[in-house]
């Protein structure tokens, strides 16, 4: 019962986006994928979601995803894209309701909206919302799809592609906490992240992808060392531990802030 | 915060689910009304009421009344209903498929493809070994093939990695229309006098050529397409978020796409085969309904069929009486009334909702 991707290769026309990436994620944990822009983080998530053609194999809960029908796979995992453009003037509630599976209770849609802090927006047009609000509505829809983190002893999965990219700090923490809760209740979370500090706060394990290849996959303190990050991002990065919370944080500037200001 | 969770009534989507059902009911009443008008009104001074009265008295209809009511107006009415329903629901399906409210069989070249197929049947059909066997079905089959080919081609061109480019779709549709019209022109140039006459009659279209024989071919195809379309609603709703998102939610996107294209090609193809190209139904009707009762395809496709049927039959009634005993082509009526109405809606809604 895990997500196991073996020797994943992805190429679009002649451009190689991923080569020979072997990667896994366990239920009950938040697994982050980090790396510079254009390194192939989202492509890796697309591959394990079954959206792009890939070489190698991906298995979810012990089954090759190519052998699982779309309707069955939808029970096992839900995917949040970076941005979800909408074609017609649907309301917020109509969008969230799309995530409901056949046997789930309709009232879950309202619970999900509450969970992402969007209760009260039900009747509003999706297109009238800000980018951050739209992102949270989509998260609510995705949560509806896998509302129970574990069902019949089988863990369910959330695949999130930069879920906090257009959110303010408070919303970022709330969204990451929602993902954390899902994992703590036994579900699996794979999340593509830009913010290394948030990654350090919420992820159990992290995969660093650079230039289409996996550099390392390990626990956060072991994987994200100053040398690796400096190499990966092409700038001088230092890593230090935040004294009050004990969080492992990575100042993204070359300068190390005095610890009091950090938190 | 807690109070918000106590009630999950449909008001949370703006009351649109119950609104849509009311719209369906209202459209059914309207449909009945225009159907009666379609039977009652016409160039001949035959009265529907005296005819009905006679039948209820157990008397026979006069031969003239029987011909006018049962062999001219009734098949024409039914054809109008079917063609209107077919064009409007095709519009709704195409718009859902392309995720764009500008998709319309007339605009993006599906009708042009059907016309091309029809002209092929008229001009080249005689040379085919199985033409006699197919008989009256030859024209609709070719029109269907033309519409199907055009839709497939267009979708292939405009969609890349699950995203449909609006500009590409419109431009490709225009190019495709121009191309098929050019081929159609070549075929007409090649045609002999008899074929030319057939083509002219077909192209004048309207519903004046409607008869029971044609209806027997059109009705099953359109009804089958409309029936199938009802099952595509959930898939099309999910596809409003893009093909990837729909697949993530468990929708068999390929199946939905293929079925939608087949339905559109079948419905548009036979409609064009029987009535020529009638514009504006496929684009105006779904728009109006989205504004009234929201974009949920569960209601949209059915309501589009109902409103499309009403619109076309009303237009046909107007076409018949406005310069009686002559008739205006119905396409002129749909454009004269549909065009300004559509513009009015756009102006009124400008800035409120991005359709």
């Amino acid at each position: 019962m895990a997500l196991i991707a073996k020797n994943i290769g992805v190429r679009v026309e002649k451009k190689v986006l991923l080569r020979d990436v072997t990667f896994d994620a366990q239920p009950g944990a938040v697994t982050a994928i980090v790396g510079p822009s254009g390194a192939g983080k989202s492509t890796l998530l697309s591959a394990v979601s079954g959206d792009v053609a890939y070489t190698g194999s991906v298995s979810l809960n012990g089954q090759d995803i190519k052998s699982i029908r779309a309707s069955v796979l939808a029970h096992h995992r839900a995917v949040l894209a970076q941005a979800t453009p909408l074609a017609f003037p649907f309301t917020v509630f109509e969008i969230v309701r799309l995530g409901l599976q056949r046997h789930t209770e309709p009232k879950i849609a309202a619970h999900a909206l509450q969970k992402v802090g969007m209760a009260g927006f039900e009747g509003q047009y999706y297109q009238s919302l800000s980018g951050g609000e739209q992102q949270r509505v989509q998260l609510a829809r995705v949560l509806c799809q896998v509302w129970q983190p574990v069902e019949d002893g089988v863990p369910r999965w959330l695949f999130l592609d930069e879920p906090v990219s257009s959110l303010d700090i408070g919303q970022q923490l709330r969204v990451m906490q929602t993902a954390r809760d899902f994992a703590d209740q036994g579900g699996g979370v794979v999340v593509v992240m830009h913010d290394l500090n948030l990654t350090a706060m919420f992820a159990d394990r992290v995969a660093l992808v650079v230039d289409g290849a996996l550099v390392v996959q390990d626990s956060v303190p072991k994987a994200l060392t100053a040398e690796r990050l400096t190499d990966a991002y092409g700038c001088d990065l230092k890593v230090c531990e935040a004294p009050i919370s004990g969080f492992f944080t990575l100042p993204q500037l070359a300068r190390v802030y005095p610890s009091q200001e950090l938190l | 915060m807690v109070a918000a969770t106590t009630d999950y009534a449909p008001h949370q989507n703006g009351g649109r689910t119950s609104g849509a059902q009311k719209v369906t009911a209202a459209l059914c009443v309207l449909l009945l009304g225009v159907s009666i008008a379609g039977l009652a009104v016409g160039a001949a001074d035959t009265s529907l009421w005296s005819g009905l009265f006679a039948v209820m008295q157990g008397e026979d209809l006069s031969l003239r009344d029987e011909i006018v009511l049962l062999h001219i107006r009734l098949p024409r009415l039914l054809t109008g209903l079917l063609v209107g329903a077919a064009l409007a629901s095709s519009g709704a399906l195409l718009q859902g498929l392309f995720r764009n409210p500008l998709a319309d069989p007339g605009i993006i070249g599906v009708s042009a493809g059907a016309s091309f197929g029809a002209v092929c049947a008229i001009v080249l059909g005689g040379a085919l070994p199985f033409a006699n066997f197919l008989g009256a079905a030859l024209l609709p089959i070719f029109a269907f093939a033309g519409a199907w080919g055009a839709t497939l081609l267009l979708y292939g061109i405009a969609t890349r990695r699950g995203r449909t480019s609006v500009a590409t779709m419109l431009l490709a549709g225009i190019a495709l229309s121009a191309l098929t019209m050019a081929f159609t022109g070549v075929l007409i140039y090649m045609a002999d006098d008899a074929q030319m006459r057939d083509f002219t009659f077909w192209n004048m279209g309207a519903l004046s050529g409607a008869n029971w024989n044609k209806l027997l071919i059109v009705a099953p195809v359109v009804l089958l397409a409309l029936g199938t379309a009802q099952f595509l609603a959930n898939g099309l709703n999910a596809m409003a978020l893009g093909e990837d998102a729909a697949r993530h939610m468990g929708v068999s996107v390929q199946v939905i796409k293929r079925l939608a294209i087949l339905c559109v090609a079948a419905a548009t193809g036979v409609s064009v085969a029987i009535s020529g190209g009638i514009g504006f139904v496929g684009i105006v009707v779904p728009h109006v309904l989205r504004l009234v009762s929201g974009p949920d395809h569960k209601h949209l496709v059915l309501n589009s069929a109902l409103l499309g049927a009403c619109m076309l039959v009303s237009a046909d009634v107007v076409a018949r009486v406005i310069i009686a005993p002559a008739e205006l082509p119905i396409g002129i009526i749909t454009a004269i009334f549909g065009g300004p109405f559509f513009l009015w809606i756009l102006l009124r809604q400008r800035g409120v909702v991005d359709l």
Side-chain angles (χ1 to χ4, degrees):
Chain A
M1 295 294 163
L3 169 72
I4 300 168
K6 275 189 191 148
N7 310 107
I8 300 298
V10 175
R11 60 195 308 165
V12 172
E13 277 142 31
K14 283 186 179 164
K15 198 177 172 203
V16 177
L17 299 182
L18 282 182
R19 56 193 132 79
D20 203 26
V21 172
T22 295
F23 162 85
D24 70 271
Q26 302 297 325
V30 174
T31 306
I33 302 171
V34 300
S37 297
K41 306 185 293 292
S42 294
T43 308
L44 180 55
L45 199 72
S46 299
V48 298
S49 307
D51 295 340
V52 292
Y54 58 85
T55 54
S57 72
V58 178
S59 77
L60 188 69
N61 293 341
Q63 263 188 299
D64 192 311
I65 61 162
K66 281 181 179 166
S67 69
I68 311 177
R69 288 218 327 263
S71 54
V72 178
L73 199 56
H75 271 296
H76 288 269
R77 62 101 184 86
V79 184
L80 178 68
Q82 267 181 45
T84 313
L86 179 69
F88 299 108
F90 282 94
T91 62
V92 166
F93 189 75
E94 286 167 336
I95 295 288
V96 176
R97 205 174 44 182
L98 288 173
L100 291 174
Q101 298 286 302
R102 201 162 291 163
H103 303 295
T104 45
E105 273 193 62
K107 65 179 173 191
I108 282 172
H111 286 318
L113 272 171
Q114 215 164 31
K115 203 166 198 169
V116 300
M118 291 294 289
F121 284 76
E122 287 85 352
Q124 295 205 17
Y125 287 114
Y126 177 80
Q127 283 146 331
S128 71
L129 304 180
S130 74
E133 289 167 339
Q134 293 187 347
Q135 184 87 327
R136 284 186 287 155
V137 169
Q138 294 297 343
L139 180 64
R141 168 180 66 79
V142 165
L143 285 174
C144 275
Q145 199 182 321
V146 287
W147 188 249
Q148 298 294 335
V150 182
E151 205 173 58
D152 300 330
V154 180
R156 305 171 92 188
W157 295 81
L158 273 178
F159 294 171
L160 311 172
D161 194 351
E162 293 188 27
V164 297
S165 52
S166 45
L167 304 182
D168 65 44
I169 180 90
Q171 291 165 358
Q172 288 185 347
L173 291 174
R174 246 170 278 137
V175 165
M176 291 310 294
Q177 190 59 49
T178 305
R180 184 70 254 172
D181 291 345
F182 188 84
D184 290 343
Q185 289 162 37
V189 177
V190 180
V191 55
V192 172
M193 294 289 290
H194 251 308
D195 188 321
L196 296 174
N197 287 320
L198 274 180
T199 306
M201 274 173 81
F202 287 100
D204 300 296
R205 299 215 314 150
V206 59
L208 177 63
V209 178
V210 179
D211 281 339
L214 185 80
V215 175
V216 63
Q217 185 182 13
D218 211 329
S219 68
V220 175
K222 284 185 189 154
L224 302 186
T225 61
E227 302 83 64
R228 283 207 190 102
L229 292 174
T230 300
D231 264 8
Y233 289 91
C235 64
D236 192 18
L237 286 171
K238 291 191 169 58
V239 172
C240 67
E241 230 167 292
I244 300 170
S245 61
F247 287 137
F248 185 86
T249 62
L250 309 143
Q252 290 187 60
L253 296 173
R255 183 176 146 227
V256 181
Y257 291 95
S259 54
Q260 285 86 347
E261 278 176 39
L262 239 176
L263 292 165
Chain B
M1 284 296 269
V2 179
T5 64
T6 53
D7 188 1
Y8 309 103
H11 75 263
Q12 288 184 326
N13 61 2
R16 298 207 292 194
T17 306
S18 56
Q21 284 156 359
K22 281 181 199 146
V23 171
T24 309
L27 285 175
C28 288
V29 175
L30 186 63
L31 195 66
L32 198 67
V34 297
S35 299
I36 292 169
L39 284 179
V41 176
D45 59 354
T46 299
S47 164
L48 171 66
W49 312 116
S50 62
L52 272 180
F53 189 69
V55 173
M56 286 205 290
Q57 297 283 312
E59 295 168 24
D60 284 341
L61 281 173
S62 71
L63 182 62
R64 185 169 171 282
D65 284 358
E66 189 187 322
I67 288 174
V68 169
L69 288 177
L70 295 185
H71 294 282
I72 297 179
R73 287 189 193 162
L74 187 58
R76 181 168 183 158
L77 166 70
L78 294 176
T79 307
L81 291 176
L82 285 170
V83 168
L87 290 175
S89 55
S90 289
L93 284 180
L94 270 182
Q95 287 152 26
L97 182 71
F98 280 97
R99 290 178 289 281
N100 190 285
L102 285 176
D104 166 78
I107 293 178
I108 62 172
V110 179
S111 297
S115 299
F116 176 60
V119 174
C120 281
I122 291 170
V123 178
L124 308 174
L128 293 172
F130 49 85
N132 287 335
F133 171 70
L134 288 172
L138 186 72
L139 190 78
I141 288 175
F142 269 63
F144 161 71
W148 192 31
T151 319
L152 278 180
L153 197 60
L154 198 69
Y155 197 87
I157 293 169
T159 306
R160 233 177 106 78
R161 301 177 71 182
R163 298 264 160 90
T164 305
S165 154
V166 187
T168 315
M169 175 193 78
L170 290 175
L171 293 173
I174 289 165
L176 216 61
S177 291
L179 195 66
T180 46
M181 279 180 209
F183 283 132
T184 307
V186 170
L187 283 174
I188 292 168
Y189 201 74
M190 286 163 51
D192 61 28
D193 283 354
Q195 290 166 344
M196 201 63 181
R197 201 173 56 238
D198 282 348
F199 170 75
T200 311
F201 272 114
W202 170 77
N203 196 33
M204 283 195 328
L207 299 169
S208 49
N211 60 39
W212 287 107
N213 286 342
K214 288 184 186 172
L215 196 59
L216 277 177
I217 298 167
V218 175
V221 176
V222 172
L223 291 176
L224 188 67
L226 287 178
T228 310
Q230 302 305 319
F231 293 100
L232 305 177
N234 281 330
L236 290 175
N237 281 343
M239 279 171 70
L241 297 173
E243 288 183 18
D244 280 346
R247 199 173 325 103
H248 296 153
M249 287 187 271
V251 173
S252 307
V253 174
Q254 288 303 329
V255 175
I256 298 281
K257 265 160 50 175
R258 282 186 196 138
L259 282 177
I261 287 175
L262 264 178
C263 286
V264 167
T268 308
V270 295
S271 296
V272 170
I274 199 166
S275 64
I278 296 174
F280 253 111
V281 180
I283 196 159
V284 174
V285 168
H287 260 86
V288 171
L289 288 169
R290 268 191 219 102
L291 289 171
V292 173
S293 54
D296 189 334
H297 291 88
K298 266 177 263 171
H299 316 290
L300 185 68
V301 178
L302 175 65
N303 286 352
S304 291
L306 292 172
L307 184 56
C310 292
M311 185 173 160
L312 206 67
V313 171
S314 325
D316 187 46
V317 169
V318 174
R320 273 187 275 167
V321 297
I322 201 164
I323 50 165
E327 281 184 20
L328 268 183
I330 192 169
I332 292 179
I333 306 288
T334 54
I336 283 179
F337 288 96
F341 184 56
F342 187 49
L343 287 176
W344 174 68
I345 288 170
L346 284 183
L347 287 173
R348 214 171 61 101
Q349 289 292 323
R350 197 166 45 172
V352 179
V353 179
D354 182 15
L355 287 171

